[in-house]
Amino acid sequence: WACTKWELIRDLFEREDQHQFIVQGASSRKGLTVMEWERGLRSLGFFGNARTCFEEILGESLEELEDLRMRSHDAVGIGNSVRHTVISRTITQGHVVNFEARVRALSASLAAAHTSSAVSRFIKVLLQQRGSLLRAWRMDIDIRGTGRVAFVDFTQA
């Protein structure tokens, strides 16, 4: 579902007040709570388990935070204490961008026969538009009727 909606998903994050969070001249974007995330995805037409998606995205950042804590703990000398970081239950646009990159890499590595692969999604679109792959091939892809398709023709199909 998200493969065609990444930009809309990133737009769920609102720009914060320009004077509130300025780091090196760049304003930040507001993080989303699980309730805001669910409401935003529903507004985009997603009716799956938005909470599970939120936890997956958040979990990735929490793993990084835990690794940082462990490295800090290992670096602390005797008598020093580790500073405990408050775990935020919000995801930021940066978290979603990292998750998007991970999903794109996974999607690109899928075998053509896998139901979530780009090939399978392409076939599904062709079947929805024309009813059969042969009809889609003849009407939309092999427009010259040669049995072959030039790259230019394919990208314009």
Side-chain angles (χ1 to χ4, degrees):
W1 176 87
C3 290
T4 59
K5 296 185 172 45
W6 288 116
E7 188 172 331
L8 296 172
I9 292 170
R10 287 190 301 268
D11 287 343
L12 292 174
F13 297 88
E14 299 171 7
R15 208 168 262 298
E16 288 280 22
D17 178 359
Q18 294 287 331
H19 303 289
Q20 188 176 2
F21 298 105
I22 298 179
V23 179
Q24 295 178 350
S27 63
S28 68
R29 291 192 177 253
K30 179 180 178 278
L32 297 177
T33 64
V34 68
M35 297 299 287
E36 294 167 331
W37 175 254
E38 287 175 331
R39 191 172 29 254
L41 288 187
R42 298 279 183 270
S43 73
L44 296 175
F46 179 73
F47 296 102
N49 192 334
R51 186 174 296 265
T52 300
C53 297
F54 181 91
E55 295 298 332
E56 181 66 25
I57 294 168
L58 184 63
E60 187 175 77
S61 66
L62 292 179
E63 288 171 14
E64 292 170 6
L65 181 60
E66 188 59 32
D67 287 346
L68 180 63
R69 279 187 186 164
M70 292 305 289
R71 279 183 274 148
S72 297
H73 186 274
D74 292 343
V76 172
I78 298 173
N80 294 334
S81 63
V82 177
R83 190 167 144 192
H84 297 287
T85 306
V86 175
I87 297 174
S88 173
R89 297 296 296 170
T90 61
I91 56 175
T92 65
Q93 189 178 38
H95 293 136
V96 172
V97 168
N98 291 340
F99 183 71
E100 175 186 356
R102 201 173 94 201
V103 168
R104 286 186 190 274
L106 178 64
S107 180
S109 69
L110 293 175
H114 194 280
T115 56
S116 297
S117 71
V119 172
S120 294
R121 289 194 313 267
F122 181 60
I123 289 171
K124 185 178 177 181
V125 168
L126 293 175
L127 288 171
Q128 287 174 344
Q129 289 180 346
R130 297 293 183 188
S132 77
L133 291 177
L134 180 59
R135 184 178 296 127
W137 171 262
R138 289 182 176 163
M139 296 178 75
D140 298 323
I141 301 172
D142 184 19
I143 56 175
R144 300 177 199 277
T146 61
R148 296 175 147 197
V149 181
F151 180 75
V152 174
D153 292 338
F154 182 74
T155 58
Q156 292 175 356

